[in-house]
Amino acid sequence: MMPQINILVVDDEKEIADLVEIYLVSDGYKVFKADNAKLGLDILGREEIHLVLLDIMMPGMDGLEMCKRIRETNNIPIIMLSARSTDLDKILGLGTGADDYVVKPFNPLELTARVKSQLRRYTQLNPNSNARESAKNEIMIKGLVINKDNHKVTVYDEEIKLTPIEFDILYLLASNPGKVFSTDEIFEKVWNEKVYEANNTVMVHIRRLRGKMKEDTRENKIITTVWGVGYKIEK
């Protein structure tokens, strides 16, 4: 029997939350709903939640602040929902730690597809604790060590905690040393979909990744920017 997947929907618009619940339940997920961030954080504190669908515009604490709070202790996937579609809004949402961003009104089938995609990554990043320990399968470049089997990443002997998206971007670059990937290529390979519009999604995730790796404190950076082209990791 497949383990139960619990999804938290935080949105003050009841009609949207109810619609999302119908589609998620039909796909076999258990849904918890909250109409404000405080209640959402309370649910997170007492339930085992595997993914959060989070509206940005809410009274009181907004979705951006709630996302920051979640990321202080948890790497579960977060998909932001917003009626605002500008690139700046997306950058703000992704910059606070969200993994994806969906604009309202949205196609419920597209939303559930994105949910499944994020859950696949999360499952790979957090394998079942009863699974037998896998053999070493590591990439070592400069001060970076990535273990593909247990998804452990260390930078100069310091372990860093990455979200599933961040891990996939880093692994893509590290497993192809010297190859330059454009932002479009990274998006298509990591998100497994065509670039759907001009966006800064990849750049925001790279910035977050570099922050966790403390790249700004080192002269010889692990991730290299090739201006006008993309990103690479040299041997």
Side-chain angles (χ1 to χ4, degrees):
M1 180 181 294
M2 294 292 290
Q4 178 68 58
I5 299 296
N6 300 327
I7 296 178
L8 173 62
V9 179
V10 186
D11 197 317
D12 63 326
E13 295 184 69
K14 185 178 184 301
E15 296 80 5
I16 291 179
D18 290 346
L19 175 65
V20 170
E21 179 183 26
I22 290 170
Y23 278 85
L24 292 176
V25 169
S26 70
D27 277 348
Y29 304 118
K30 182 174 181 179
V31 175
F32 294 83
K33 292 186 294 183
D35 60 6
N36 63 76
K38 183 181 183 304
L39 178 56
L41 290 172
D42 289 344
I43 294 172
L44 272 171
R46 65 175 185 263
E47 302 289 347
E48 183 181 7
I49 301 297
H50 302 97
L51 181 143
V52 179
L53 290 169
L54 178 57
D55 184 37
I56 290 182
M57 298 295 293
M58 291 187 293
M61 184 192 304
D62 65 17
L64 298 175
E65 180 60 31
M66 181 177 174
C67 185
K68 290 179 185 177
R69 298 274 187 95
I70 296 172
R71 281 292 174 252
E72 290 174 0
T73 58
N74 207 318
N75 73 337
I76 58 174
I78 300 173
I79 300 177
M80 304 294 277
L81 306 175
S82 178
R84 303 185 301 185
S85 61
T86 67
D87 281 345
L88 177 59
D89 292 323
K90 294 183 182 181
I91 291 170
L92 287 173
L94 295 169
T96 58
D99 297 285
D100 206 350
Y101 186 111
V102 177
V103 178
K104 298 178 181 178
F106 49 77
N107 182 329
L109 294 178
E110 178 190 353
L111 181 63
T112 55
R114 288 174 184 252
V115 165
K116 291 174 184 177
S117 175
Q118 293 299 332
L119 285 171
R120 279 196 298 269
R121 287 193 176 88
Y122 183 64
T123 302
Q124 292 167 359
L125 192 61
N126 298 272
N128 190 300
S129 59
N130 294 325
R132 65 180 181 82
E133 184 178 355
S134 53
K136 291 280 187 180
N137 186 1
E138 293 183 335
I139 296 175
M140 291 180 284
I141 299 179
K142 297 180 180 178
L144 174 67
V145 179
I146 305 176
N147 189 303
K148 183 181 179 182
D149 294 325
N150 60 22
H151 283 65
K152 180 179 177 181
V153 176
T154 59
V155 179
Y156 293 102
D157 298 322
E158 180 182 350
E159 184 174 356
I160 60 173
K161 299 296 184 182
L162 302 182
T163 65
I165 287 284
E166 292 164 353
F167 181 91
D168 285 354
I169 291 174
L170 188 61
Y171 188 80
L172 172 66
L173 297 176
S175 59
N176 295 275
K179 176 177 171 57
V180 180
F181 287 89
S182 69
T183 54
D184 285 357
E185 288 176 318
I186 294 173
F187 188 91
E188 290 181 6
K189 290 180 180 296
V190 171
W191 275 260
N192 293 316
E193 58 182 277
K194 294 293 183 181
V195 178
Y196 51 87
E197 59 184 72
N199 66 81
N200 296 289
T201 302
V202 172
M203 287 189 290
V204 173
H205 281 85
I206 291 283
R207 189 179 308 126
R208 276 171 36 198
L209 187 53
R210 281 174 160 163
K212 292 183 178 182
M213 295 168 66
K214 300 179 180 177
E215 290 274 78
D216 58 340
T217 64
R218 280 188 288 275
E219 183 176 346
N220 296 318
K221 303 187 186 307
I222 295 173
I223 300 176
T224 302
T225 299
V226 182
W227 294 106
V229 183
Y231 302 95
K232 67 177 178 177
I233 294 180
E234 289 285 5
K235 292 183 179 180

